Coordinates of all heavy atoms in Angstrom, one line a residue:
M95 N 266.4 -14.2 -126.1 CA 266.4 -15.5 -126.7 C 265.9 -16.5 -125.5 O 266.5 -16.5 -124.5 CB 267.7 -15.9 -127.2 CG 267.8 -17.2 -127.8 SD 269.5 -17.4 -128.3 CE 269.2 -18.8 -129.4
I96 N 264.9 -17.3 -125.8 CA 264.5 -18.2 -124.9 C 264.7 -19.7 -125.4 O 264.4 -19.9 -126.6 CB 262.9 -18.1 -124.7 CG1 262.6 -16.7 -124.0 CG2 262.4 -19.2 -123.7 CD1 261.2 -16.4 -123.9
V97 N 265.3 -20.4 -124.6 CA 265.7 -21.8 -125.0 C 264.9 -22.8 -124.2 O 264.8 -22.7 -122.9 CB 267.2 -22.1 -124.7 CG1 267.5 -23.5 -125.1 CG2 268.0 -21.1 -125.5
E98 N 264.2 -23.7 -124.9 CA 263.4 -24.7 -124.2 C 264.3 -25.9 -123.8 O 265.2 -26.2 -124.4 CB 262.3 -25.2 -125.2 CG 261.1 -24.3 -125.2 CD 260.0 -25.0 -125.9 OE1 259.7 -26.2 -125.6 OE2 259.4 -24.4 -126.8
T99 N 264.0 -26.4 -122.6 CA 264.8 -27.5 -122.0 C 264.0 -28.7 -121.9 O 264.5 -29.7 -121.2 CB 265.4 -27.1 -120.6 OG1 264.3 -26.8 -119.8 CG2 266.3 -25.9 -120.7
K100 N 262.9 -28.9 -122.6 CA 262.2 -30.1 -122.6 C 263.0 -31.2 -123.2 O 263.5 -31.0 -124.3 CB 260.9 -29.9 -123.3 CG 259.9 -29.1 -122.6 CD 258.6 -29.0 -123.3 CE 257.6 -28.1 -122.6 NZ 256.3 -27.9 -123.4
G101 N 263.0 -32.3 -122.5 CA 263.7 -33.5 -123.1 C 265.2 -33.5 -122.9 O 265.9 -34.4 -123.2
V102 N 265.7 -32.4 -122.3 CA 267.2 -32.3 -122.0 C 267.3 -32.7 -120.5 O 266.7 -32.2 -119.6 CB 267.7 -30.8 -122.3 CG1 269.1 -30.7 -121.8 CG2 267.5 -30.4 -123.6
S103 N 268.2 -33.7 -120.4 CA 268.4 -34.1 -119.0 C 269.3 -33.2 -118.2 O 270.3 -32.6 -118.7 CB 269.1 -35.5 -119.0 OG 270.4 -35.5 -119.5
Q104 N 269.0 -33.0 -117.0 CA 269.8 -32.2 -116.1 C 270.8 -33.1 -115.4 O 270.7 -34.3 -115.3 CB 268.9 -31.6 -115.0 CG 267.8 -30.7 -115.6 CD 268.4 -29.4 -116.3 OE1 269.4 -28.9 -115.8 NE2 267.8 -29.0 -117.4
P105 N 272.0 -32.5 -114.9 CA 273.0 -33.3 -114.3 C 272.4 -34.1 -113.1 O 272.8 -35.3 -113.0 CB 274.0 -32.3 -113.8 CG 273.8 -31.2 -114.7 CD 272.4 -31.1 -115.0
N106 N 271.6 -33.6 -112.4 CA 271.0 -34.3 -111.3 C 270.1 -35.5 -111.7 O 269.8 -36.5 -110.9 CB 270.3 -33.5 -110.3 CG 271.2 -32.4 -109.6 OD1 272.4 -32.8 -109.5 ND2 270.7 -31.4 -109.2
D107 N 269.6 -35.4 -112.9 CA 268.7 -36.5 -113.4 C 269.4 -37.8 -113.7 O 268.8 -38.8 -113.8 CB 267.9 -36.0 -114.6 CG 267.0 -34.9 -114.3 OD1 266.6 -34.7 -113.1 OD2 266.5 -34.2 -115.2
T108 N 270.7 -37.6 -114.1 CA 271.5 -38.7 -114.5 C 272.3 -39.4 -113.4 O 273.1 -40.3 -113.7 CB 272.4 -38.4 -115.7 OG1 273.3 -37.4 -115.2 CG2 271.6 -37.8 -116.8
V109 N 272.1 -39.0 -112.2 CA 272.9 -39.6 -111.1 C 272.5 -41.0 -110.8 O 271.3 -41.3 -110.7 CB 272.7 -38.8 -109.8 CG1 273.4 -39.4 -108.6 CG2 273.2 -37.3 -110.0
Q110 N 273.5 -41.9 -111.0 CA 273.2 -43.4 -110.8 C 273.4 -43.6 -109.3 O 274.3 -43.1 -108.6 CB 274.3 -44.1 -111.6 CG 274.1 -44.0 -113.1 CD 272.8 -44.6 -113.6 OE1 272.4 -45.6 -113.2 NE2 272.3 -43.8 -114.6
P111 N 272.5 -44.6 -108.8 CA 272.7 -44.9 -107.4 C 274.0 -45.6 -107.2 O 274.5 -46.4 -108.0 CB 271.5 -45.9 -107.1 CG 271.0 -46.3 -108.5 CD 271.5 -45.2 -109.4
V112 N 274.7 -45.4 -106.0 CA 276.0 -46.0 -105.8 C 275.7 -47.4 -105.1 O 274.9 -47.6 -104.2 CB 276.7 -45.1 -104.8 CG1 278.1 -45.7 -104.4 CG2 276.9 -43.7 -105.4
S113 N 276.4 -48.4 -105.6 CA 276.3 -49.7 -105.1 C 277.2 -49.9 -103.8 O 278.1 -49.1 -103.6 CB 276.6 -50.8 -106.1 OG 278.0 -50.8 -106.3
D114 N 276.8 -50.8 -103.0 CA 277.6 -51.1 -101.8 C 279.0 -51.6 -102.2 O 280.0 -51.2 -101.5 CB 277.0 -52.3 -100.9 CG 275.8 -51.6 -100.1 OD1 275.5 -50.5 -100.2 OD2 275.1 -52.5 -99.5
D115 N 279.2 -52.2 -103.3 CA 280.5 -52.8 -103.7 C 281.4 -51.6 -104.1 O 282.6 -51.6 -103.8 CB 280.3 -53.7 -104.9 CG 279.6 -55.0 -104.6 OD1 279.7 -55.4 -103.4 OD2 279.1 -55.6 -105.5
E116 N 280.8 -50.5 -104.7 CA 281.6 -49.4 -104.9 C 282.1 -48.7 -103.7 O 283.2 -48.2 -103.6 CB 280.8 -48.4 -105.8 CG 280.5 -48.8 -107.2 CD 279.7 -47.8 -108.0 OE1 280.3 -46.8 -108.4 OE2 278.4 -48.0 -108.1
I117 N 281.2 -48.6 -102.7 CA 281.6 -48.0 -101.4 C 282.6 -48.7 -100.7 O 283.6 -48.2 -100.3 CB 280.4 -47.8 -100.5 CG1 279.4 -46.8 -101.2 CG2 280.7 -47.2 -99.2 CD1 278.0 -46.7 -100.5
V118 N 282.5 -50.0 -100.8 CA 283.5 -50.9 -100.1 C 284.8 -50.8 -100.9 O 285.9 -50.7 -100.2 CB 283.0 -52.4 -100.2 CG1 284.2 -53.4 -99.8 CG2 281.9 -52.6 -99.2
A119 N 284.8 -50.8 -102.2 CA 286.1 -50.6 -103.0 C 286.7 -49.2 -102.6 O 288.0 -49.2 -102.5 CB 285.8 -50.8 -104.5
D120 N 286.0 -48.2 -102.5 CA 286.6 -46.9 -102.2 C 287.1 -46.9 -100.7 O 288.1 -46.3 -100.5 CB 285.6 -45.8 -102.4 CG 285.4 -45.4 -103.9 OD1 286.3 -45.7 -104.7 OD2 284.3 -44.9 -104.3
L121 N 286.4 -47.5 -99.8 CA 287.0 -47.6 -98.5 C 288.2 -48.4 -98.4 O 289.2 -48.1 -97.8 CB 285.9 -48.2 -97.5 CG 284.7 -47.4 -97.3 CD1 283.6 -48.2 -96.5 CD2 285.1 -46.1 -96.5
F122 N 288.3 -49.4 -99.3 CA 289.6 -50.3 -99.3 C 290.7 -49.4 -99.9 O 291.8 -49.4 -99.4 CB 289.3 -51.5 -100.1 CG 290.5 -52.4 -100.3 CD1 291.0 -53.1 -99.1 CD2 291.2 -52.6 -101.4 CE1 292.1 -53.9 -99.2 CE2 292.2 -53.4 -101.6 CZ 292.8 -54.0 -100.5
R123 N 290.4 -48.6 -100.9 CA 291.4 -47.8 -101.5 C 291.9 -46.8 -100.5 O 293.1 -46.5 -100.4 CB 290.8 -47.1 -102.7 CG 291.8 -46.1 -103.4 CD 291.1 -45.4 -104.6 NE 289.9 -44.8 -104.3 CZ 289.8 -43.5 -103.7 NH1 290.9 -42.9 -103.4 NH2 288.6 -42.9 -103.5
L124 N 291.0 -46.2 -99.7 CA 291.4 -45.3 -98.7 C 292.3 -45.9 -97.6 O 293.2 -45.4 -97.2 CB 290.2 -44.6 -98.0 CG 289.4 -43.6 -98.8 CD1 288.1 -43.2 -98.1 CD2 290.2 -42.3 -99.1
A125 N 291.8 -47.1 -97.3 CA 292.6 -47.8 -96.2 C 294.0 -48.2 -96.7 O 295.0 -48.1 -95.9 CB 291.9 -49.1 -95.8
R126 N 294.1 -48.6 -97.9 CA 295.4 -48.9 -98.5 C 296.3 -47.8 -98.7 O 297.5 -47.9 -98.9 CB 295.2 -49.6 -99.9 CG 294.5 -50.9 -99.9 CD 295.4 -52.0 -99.6 NE 296.5 -52.1 -100.6 CZ 297.6 -52.8 -100.5 NH1 297.8 -53.5 -99.4 NH2 298.4 -52.8 -101.5
S127 N 295.8 -46.5 -98.7 CA 296.6 -45.3 -98.8 C 297.5 -45.1 -97.6 O 298.6 -44.5 -97.7 CB 295.7 -44.1 -99.0 OG 295.1 -43.8 -97.7
G128 N 297.2 -45.8 -96.5 CA 298.1 -45.7 -95.3 C 297.8 -44.5 -94.5 O 298.4 -44.3 -93.4
Q129 N 296.9 -43.7 -94.8 CA 296.5 -42.5 -94.0 C 295.6 -42.8 -92.9 O 295.6 -42.0 -91.9 CB 295.8 -41.5 -94.9 CG 296.7 -40.9 -96.0 CD 296.0 -39.9 -96.9 OE1 294.8 -39.6 -96.6 NE2 296.6 -39.3 -97.9
Y130 N 295.0 -44.0 -92.9 CA 294.0 -44.3 -91.9 C 294.3 -45.6 -91.2 O 294.4 -46.6 -91.8 CB 292.5 -44.4 -92.5 CG 292.2 -43.1 -93.3 CD1 292.4 -43.1 -94.7 CD2 291.7 -42.1 -92.7 CE1 292.0 -42.0 -95.4 CE2 291.4 -40.9 -93.4 CZ 291.5 -40.8 -94.8 OH 291.2 -39.8 -95.5
L131 N 294.7 -45.5 -90.0 CA 295.1 -46.6 -89.2 C 294.0 -47.2 -88.3 O 294.1 -48.2 -87.8 CB 296.4 -46.4 -88.4 CG 297.5 -45.9 -89.2 CD1 298.7 -45.5 -88.3 CD2 297.9 -47.0 -90.1
K132 N 293.0 -46.4 -88.1 CA 291.8 -46.7 -87.3 C 290.6 -46.6 -88.1 O 290.5 -45.8 -89.1 CB 291.8 -45.9 -86.0 CG 293.0 -46.1 -85.1 CD 292.8 -45.6 -83.8 CE 294.1 -45.9 -83.0 NZ 293.9 -46.7 -81.9
A133 N 289.5 -47.3 -87.6 CA 288.2 -47.3 -88.4 C 287.5 -46.0 -88.3 O 286.9 -45.6 -89.3 CB 287.4 -48.4 -87.8
K134 N 287.6 -45.3 -87.2 CA 286.8 -44.1 -87.1 C 287.2 -43.0 -88.1 O 286.3 -42.4 -88.8 CB 287.0 -43.5 -85.6 CG 285.9 -42.6 -85.2 CD 286.0 -42.3 -83.7 CE 284.7 -41.7 -83.2 NZ 284.7 -41.5 -81.8
P135 N 288.5 -42.7 -88.2 CA 288.8 -41.7 -89.3 C 288.5 -42.2 -90.7 O 288.1 -41.4 -91.6 CB 290.3 -41.5 -89.1 CG 290.7 -42.0 -87.9 CD 289.6 -43.0 -87.5
L136 N 288.6 -43.5 -90.9 CA 288.2 -44.1 -92.2 C 286.8 -43.9 -92.5 O 286.3 -43.6 -93.6 CB 288.6 -45.5 -92.3 CG 288.4 -46.3 -93.5 CD1 289.1 -45.6 -94.7 CD2 288.8 -47.7 -93.5
L137 N 286.0 -44.1 -91.5 CA 284.5 -43.9 -91.6 C 284.2 -42.4 -91.9 O 283.3 -42.2 -92.7 CB 283.8 -44.4 -90.3 CG 282.3 -44.3 -90.3 CD1 281.8 -45.3 -91.3 CD2 281.8 -44.7 -88.9
A138 N 284.9 -41.5 -91.2 CA 284.7 -40.2 -91.5 C 285.1 -39.8 -92.9 O 284.3 -39.0 -93.6 CB 285.4 -39.3 -90.6
A139 N 286.1 -40.3 -93.4 CA 286.6 -40.1 -94.8 C 285.6 -40.7 -95.8 O 285.3 -40.1 -96.9 CB 288.0 -40.6 -95.0
G140 N 285.1 -41.8 -95.5 CA 284.1 -42.4 -96.3 C 282.8 -41.6 -96.4 O 282.1 -41.5 -97.5
A141 N 282.4 -41.0 -95.2 CA 281.3 -40.1 -95.2 C 281.4 -38.8 -96.1 O 280.5 -38.4 -96.7 CB 280.9 -39.8 -93.8
L142 N 282.7 -38.4 -96.0 CA 283.1 -37.2 -96.9 C 283.1 -37.6 -98.4 O 282.7 -36.8 -99.2 CB 284.4 -36.7 -96.5 CG 284.5 -35.9 -95.2 CD1 286.0 -35.5 -94.9 CD2 283.6 -34.7 -95.2
L143 N 283.4 -38.8 -98.6 CA 283.4 -39.3 -100.1 C 282.0 -39.5 -100.6 O 281.8 -39.2 -101.8 CB 284.2 -40.6 -100.1 CG 284.9 -41.0 -101.4 CD1 286.0 -40.0 -101.7 CD2 285.5 -42.3 -101.3
Y144 N 281.1 -39.9 -99.8 CA 279.7 -40.1 -100.2 C 278.8 -39.2 -99.2 O 278.1 -39.9 -98.4 CB 279.4 -41.6 -100.2 CG 280.1 -42.4 -101.2 CD1 281.2 -43.2 -100.8 CD2 279.7 -42.4 -102.4 CE1 281.9 -43.9 -101.7 CE2 280.3 -43.1 -103.4 CZ 281.5 -43.9 -103.0 OH 282.1 -44.6 -103.9
P145 N 278.7 -38.0 -99.4 CA 277.9 -37.1 -98.5 C 276.4 -37.4 -98.6 O 275.6 -37.2 -97.7 CB 278.3 -35.7 -98.8 CG 278.8 -35.8 -100.2 CD 279.4 -37.2 -100.4
Q146 N 276.0 -37.9 -99.8 CA 274.5 -38.2 -100.1 C 274.1 -39.5 -99.4 O 272.9 -39.7 -99.3 CB 274.2 -38.1 -101.5 CG 274.7 -39.3 -102.3 CD 276.2 -39.3 -102.7 OE1 276.9 -38.4 -102.3 NE2 276.7 -40.3 -103.4
E147 N 275.0 -40.3 -99.0 CA 274.6 -41.6 -98.4 C 274.5 -41.6 -96.9 O 275.3 -40.8 -96.3 CB 275.7 -42.7 -98.8 CG 275.8 -43.0 -100.3 CD 274.5 -43.3 -100.9 OE1 273.7 -44.1 -100.3 OE2 274.3 -43.0 -102.1
P148 N 273.6 -42.3 -96.3 CA 273.4 -42.3 -94.8 C 274.8 -42.8 -94.2 O 275.3 -43.8 -94.8 CB 272.3 -43.1 -94.5 CG 271.7 -43.4 -95.9 CD 272.6 -43.1 -96.9
K149 N 275.1 -42.3 -93.1 CA 276.3 -42.8 -92.3 C 276.2 -44.2 -91.9 O 277.2 -45.0 -91.9 CB 276.6 -41.9 -91.1 CG 277.0 -40.5 -91.5 CD 277.5 -39.7 -90.3 CE 277.9 -38.3 -90.8 NZ 278.4 -37.6 -89.7
K150 N 275.0 -44.7 -91.7 CA 274.8 -46.1 -91.4 C 275.1 -47.0 -92.6 O 275.8 -48.1 -92.3 CB 273.2 -46.3 -90.9 CG 272.9 -47.7 -90.6 CD 273.3 -48.0 -89.2 CE 272.7 -49.4 -88.8 NZ 273.3 -49.9 -87.7
R151 N 274.9 -46.6 -93.7 CA 275.2 -47.4 -94.9 C 276.7 -47.4 -95.0 O 277.3 -48.6 -95.4 CB 274.6 -46.8 -96.1 CG 274.8 -47.7 -97.3 CD 274.1 -47.1 -98.6 NE 274.4 -48.0 -99.7 CZ 274.3 -47.6 -100.9 NH1 273.9 -46.4 -101.3 NH2 274.7 -48.5 -102.0
I152 N 277.4 -46.3 -94.8 CA 278.9 -46.3 -94.9 C 279.4 -47.2 -93.9 O 280.4 -48.0 -94.2 CB 279.4 -44.9 -94.8 CG1 278.8 -43.9 -95.8 CG2 280.9 -44.8 -94.8 CD1 279.1 -44.1 -97.2
K153 N 278.9 -47.1 -92.6 CA 279.4 -48.1 -91.6 C 279.2 -49.5 -91.9 O 280.0 -50.3 -91.7 CB 278.7 -47.7 -90.3 CG 279.2 -48.4 -89.1 CD 278.6 -48.0 -87.8 CE 279.2 -48.7 -86.6 NZ 278.6 -48.2 -85.3
N154 N 278.0 -49.9 -92.5 CA 277.8 -51.2 -92.9 C 278.7 -51.7 -93.9 O 279.2 -52.9 -93.9 CB 276.4 -51.4 -93.3 CG 275.3 -51.3 -92.2 OD1 275.6 -51.5 -91.1 ND2 274.1 -51.0 -92.6
C155 N 279.1 -50.8 -94.8 CA 280.1 -51.1 -95.9 C 281.4 -51.3 -95.3 O 282.2 -52.1 -95.7 CB 280.1 -50.1 -96.9 SG 278.6 -50.1 -98.0
L156 N 281.7 -50.5 -94.3 CA 283.1 -50.7 -93.6 C 283.1 -52.0 -92.8 O 284.1 -52.7 -92.9 CB 283.3 -49.5 -92.7 CG 284.7 -49.4 -91.9 CD1 285.8 -49.3 -93.0 CD2 284.7 -48.2 -91.0
V157 N 282.0 -52.4 -92.2 CA 282.0 -53.6 -91.5 C 282.1 -54.8 -92.6 O 282.8 -55.8 -92.4 CB 280.6 -53.8 -90.7 CG1 280.4 -55.3 -90.3 CG2 280.6 -52.9 -89.6
R158 N 281.5 -54.6 -93.7 CA 281.6 -55.7 -94.8 C 283.0 -55.8 -95.3 O 283.5 -56.9 -95.5 CB 280.7 -55.3 -95.9 CG 280.7 -56.3 -97.0 CD 279.6 -56.1 -98.0 NE 279.7 -56.9 -99.2 CZ 279.4 -56.5 -100.4 NH1 278.9 -55.3 -100.6 NH2 279.7 -57.3 -101.4
L159 N 283.7 -54.7 -95.4 CA 285.1 -54.7 -95.9 C 286.0 -55.4 -94.8 O 286.8 -56.2 -95.2 CB 285.6 -53.2 -96.0 CG 287.1 -53.1 -96.3 CD1 287.5 -53.8 -97.6 CD2 287.5 -51.6 -96.3
G160 N 285.7 -55.2 -93.5 CA 286.4 -55.9 -92.5 C 286.3 -57.4 -92.6 O 287.2 -58.2 -92.4
E161 N 285.0 -57.8 -92.8 CA 284.6 -59.2 -93.0 C 285.4 -59.8 -94.2 O 286.0 -60.9 -94.1 CB 283.2 -59.4 -93.1 CG 282.4 -59.1 -91.8 CD 281.0 -59.0 -92.0 OE1 280.5 -59.1 -93.1 OE2 280.3 -59.0 -90.9
I162 N 285.4 -59.1 -95.3 CA 286.1 -59.5 -96.5 C 287.6 -59.7 -96.2 O 288.2 -60.7 -96.6 CB 285.9 -58.6 -97.7 CG1 284.4 -58.6 -98.1 CG2 286.7 -58.9 -98.9 CD1 284.0 -57.6 -99.1
L163 N 288.2 -58.7 -95.6 CA 289.7 -58.8 -95.3 C 290.0 -59.9 -94.3 O 291.0 -60.6 -94.4 CB 290.2 -57.5 -94.7 CG 290.1 -56.2 -95.8 CD1 290.5 -55.0 -95.1 CD2 290.9 -56.6 -97.0
W164 N 289.0 -60.1 -93.3 CA 289.3 -61.2 -92.4 C 289.2 -62.6 -93.1 O 290.0 -63.4 -92.8 CB 288.3 -61.1 -91.3 CG 288.5 -62.1 -90.2 CD1 287.8 -63.3 -90.1 CD2 289.4 -62.1 -89.1 NE1 288.3 -64.0 -89.0 CE2 289.2 -63.3 -88.4 CE3 290.3 -61.1 -88.7 CZ2 290.0 -63.5 -87.2 CZ3 291.0 -61.4 -87.5 CH2 290.8 -62.6 -86.9
D165 N 288.1 -62.7 -93.8 CA 287.9 -64.1 -94.5 C 288.9 -64.4 -95.5 O 289.3 -65.5 -95.7 CB 286.5 -64.0 -95.2 CG 285.4 -64.0 -94.2 OD1 285.6 -64.3 -93.0 OD2 284.2 -63.6 -94.6
T166 N 289.5 -63.4 -96.2 CA 290.6 -63.7 -97.2 C 292.0 -63.7 -96.6 O 293.0 -63.9 -97.2 CB 290.6 -62.7 -98.3 OG1 290.7 -61.4 -97.8 CG2 289.2 -62.7 -99.1
D167 N 292.1 -63.4 -95.2 CA 293.3 -63.3 -94.5 C 294.3 -62.4 -95.1 O 295.4 -62.6 -95.3 CB 293.9 -64.7 -94.3 CG 295.0 -64.7 -93.2 OD1 295.1 -63.8 -92.4 OD2 295.8 -65.7 -93.3
H168 N 293.8 -61.2 -95.4 CA 294.6 -60.1 -96.1 C 295.7 -59.7 -95.2 O 295.6 -59.3 -94.1 CB 293.7 -58.9 -96.5 CG 294.4 -57.9 -97.2 ND1 294.8 -57.9 -98.5 CD2 295.0 -56.7 -96.7 CE1 295.4 -56.8 -98.9 NE2 295.6 -56.1 -97.8
G169 N 296.9 -59.8 -95.8 CA 298.1 -59.5 -95.0 C 298.5 -60.5 -93.9 O 299.5 -60.3 -93.2
G170 N 297.8 -61.6 -93.8 CA 298.1 -62.7 -92.8 C 297.7 -62.2 -91.4 O 298.1 -62.9 -90.4
F171 N 296.9 -61.1 -91.2 CA 296.6 -60.7 -89.9 C 295.7 -61.6 -89.1 O 295.8 -61.7 -87.9 CB 296.1 -59.3 -89.9 CG 297.0 -58.2 -90.5 CD1 296.9 -57.7 -91.6 CD2 298.2 -57.9 -89.6 CE1 297.8 -56.7 -92.1 CE2 299.1 -57.1 -90.2 CZ 298.9 -56.4 -91.3
A172 N 294.8 -62.2 -89.9 CA 293.8 -63.2 -89.2 C 294.6 -64.4 -88.7 O 294.3 -64.8 -87.6 CB 292.7 -63.6 -90.2
T173 N 295.4 -64.9 -89.5 CA 296.3 -66.1 -89.1 C 297.1 -65.7 -87.9 O 297.2 -66.5 -86.9 CB 297.2 -66.6 -90.2 OG1 296.3 -66.9 -91.3 CG2 298.0 -67.7 -89.8
E174 N 297.8 -64.6 -87.9 CA 298.6 -64.1 -86.8 C 297.8 -64.0 -85.5 O 298.2 -64.4 -84.5 CB 299.3 -62.8 -87.2 CG 300.2 -62.3 -86.1 CD 301.0 -61.1 -86.5 OE1 301.0 -60.7 -87.7 OE2 301.4 -60.4 -85.6
Y175 N 296.6 -63.4 -85.7 CA 295.7 -63.2 -84.5 C 295.3 -64.6 -83.9 O 295.4 -64.8 -82.7 CB 294.5 -62.4 -84.9 CG 293.5 -62.3 -83.7 CD1 293.7 -61.3 -82.7 CD2 292.3 -63.1 -83.7 CE1 292.8 -61.2 -81.7 CE2 291.4 -63.0 -82.7 CZ 291.7 -62.1 -81.7 OH 290.8 -62.0 -80.7
K176 N 294.9 -65.5 -84.8 CA 294.5 -66.8 -84.3 C 295.6 -67.6 -83.7 O 295.4 -68.3 -82.7 CB 293.9 -67.6 -85.5 CG 292.6 -67.0 -86.0 CD 292.1 -67.7 -87.2 CE 290.9 -67.1 -87.9 NZ 290.5 -67.7 -89.1
L177 N 296.9 -67.4 -84.2 CA 298.0 -68.2 -83.6 C 298.4 -67.6 -82.3 O 298.8 -68.4 -81.4 CB 299.1 -68.2 -84.6 CG 299.0 -69.0 -85.9 CD1 300.1 -68.8 -86.8 CD2 298.8 -70.5 -85.5
D178 N 298.3 -66.3 -82.1 CA 298.7 -65.6 -80.9 C 297.7 -65.8 -79.8 O 298.0 -65.5 -78.6 CB 299.0 -64.1 -81.2 CG 300.3 -64.0 -81.9 OD1 301.1 -65.0 -82.0 OD2 300.6 -62.9 -82.4
R179 N 296.4 -66.0 -80.2 CA 295.4 -66.1 -79.1 C 295.5 -67.4 -78.3 O 295.6 -68.4 -78.9 CB 294.1 -66.1 -79.8 CG 293.0 -65.5 -79.0 CD 291.8 -65.3 -79.8 NE 291.1 -66.5 -79.8 CZ 289.7 -66.6 -80.1 NH1 289.1 -65.5 -80.5 NH2 289.1 -67.7 -80.1
R180 N 295.5 -67.3 -77.1 CA 295.5 -68.5 -76.2 C 294.1 -68.8 -75.7 O 293.4 -67.9 -75.3 CB 296.4 -68.2 -75.1 CG 297.9 -68.3 -75.5 CD 298.7 -68.3 -74.2 NE 300.1 -68.4 -74.6 CZ 301.1 -68.6 -73.7 NH1 300.8 -68.5 -72.4 NH2 302.3 -68.7 -74.1
H181 N 293.8 -70.0 -75.7 CA 292.5 -70.4 -75.2 C 292.7 -70.8 -73.7 O 293.7 -71.3 -73.3 CB 292.0 -71.6 -76.0 CG 291.7 -71.3 -77.4 ND1 290.6 -70.6 -77.8 CD2 292.4 -71.6 -78.5 CE1 290.7 -70.4 -79.1 NE2 291.7 -71.1 -79.6
Q182 N 291.7 -70.6 -72.9 CA 291.8 -70.9 -71.5 C 292.1 -72.4 -71.2 O 292.8 -72.8 -70.3 CB 290.5 -70.5 -70.8 CG 290.3 -69.0 -70.6 CD 289.1 -68.6 -70.0 OE1 288.2 -69.5 -69.7 NE2 288.9 -67.3 -69.7
R183 N 291.5 -73.2 -72.0 CA 291.7 -74.7 -71.8 C 292.8 -75.3 -72.7 O 292.9 -76.4 -72.9 CB 290.4 -75.4 -72.1 CG 289.4 -75.1 -71.1 CD 288.1 -76.0 -71.3 NE 287.1 -75.6 -70.3 CZ 286.9 -76.4 -69.3 NH1 287.6 -77.4 -69.0 NH2 286.0 -76.1 -68.4
S184 N 293.7 -74.4 -73.1 CA 294.8 -74.8 -74.0 C 295.9 -75.6 -73.1 O 296.1 -75.4 -71.9 CB 295.5 -73.6 -74.5 OG 296.8 -73.8 -75.0
S185 N 296.6 -76.5 -73.8 CA 297.6 -77.3 -73.0 C 298.7 -76.3 -72.7 O 299.5 -76.7 -71.8 CB 298.1 -78.3 -74.0 OG 298.7 -77.8 -75.2
L186 N 298.9 -75.2 -73.3 CA 300.0 -74.3 -72.9 C 299.7 -73.6 -71.6 O 300.7 -73.2 -70.9 CB 300.2 -73.2 -74.0 CG 300.5 -73.6 -75.3 CD1 300.4 -72.4 -76.3 CD2 301.9 -74.2 -75.3
T187 N 298.5 -73.5 -71.1 CA 298.2 -72.9 -69.9 C 298.1 -74.0 -68.7 O 297.9 -73.7 -67.6 CB 296.9 -72.1 -69.9 OG1 295.8 -73.0 -70.2 CG2 297.0 -71.0 -70.9
A188 N 298.3 -75.3 -69.0 CA 298.1 -76.3 -68.0 C 299.3 -76.2 -67.1 O 300.5 -76.0 -67.5 CB 298.0 -77.6 -68.7
S189 N 299.1 -76.4 -65.9 CA 300.1 -76.5 -64.9 C 300.3 -77.8 -64.4 O 299.4 -78.5 -64.1 CB 299.9 -75.4 -63.8 OG 298.7 -75.8 -63.2
A190 N 301.6 -78.2 -64.1 CA 301.9 -79.6 -63.6 C 301.8 -79.6 -62.1 O 302.0 -78.8 -61.4 CB 303.2 -80.0 -64.1

């Protein structure tokens, strides 16, 4: 028995391109899991999650995630960092 496959889509034909937003969301989900405390293992996990995507794209998405978290002051870490940072010309470093 011979079956014609004309007009039948193959699984690889229906693969939709992955948007950067989806990659960022998945990286955020991985980061929130608590398993990744540093960027390097998170980047490796992202590369395993999207093996068909170039590592440069995954890295750019990780940088974008970091910018989003910094701009929104997620967890208050940006505020804490800014408050703890001393400037060289600060009045706190002035000597009498």
Side-chain angles (χ1 to χ4, degrees):
M95 178 179 197
I96 298 175
V97 178
E98 279 191 48
T99 59
K100 290 183 181 178
V102 177
S103 65
Q104 299 296 325
N106 292 337
D107 294 342
T108 61
V109 173
Q110 297 292 324
V112 179
S113 72
D114 285 352
D115 292 334
E116 289 178 80
I117 296 173
V118 169
D120 284 334
L121 289 172
F122 181 67
R123 181 182 52 81
L124 287 172
R126 294 277 298 166
S127 72
Q129 295 178 0
Y130 306 98
L131 301 177
K132 298 200 180 240
K134 200 171 201 175
L136 181 60
L137 184 62
L142 288 175
L143 206 63
Y144 294 101
Q146 72 280 7
E147 299 300 326
K149 289 186 179 186
K150 180 79 173 162
R151 183 175 182 204
I152 304 292
K153 185 175 182 179
N154 289 341
C155 289
L156 185 60
V157 168
R158 184 170 168 216
L159 174 62
E161 291 170 352
I162 291 169
L163 294 176
W164 182 265
D165 291 342
T166 59
D167 194 19
H168 182 75
F171 295 111
T173 300
E174 183 178 340
Y175 174 79
K176 291 174 187 175
L177 290 175
D178 287 345
R179 202 171 91 158
R180 289 189 173 184
H181 299 285
Q182 290 180 349
R183 297 187 175 257
S184 162
S185 62
L186 296 174
T187 60
S189 57

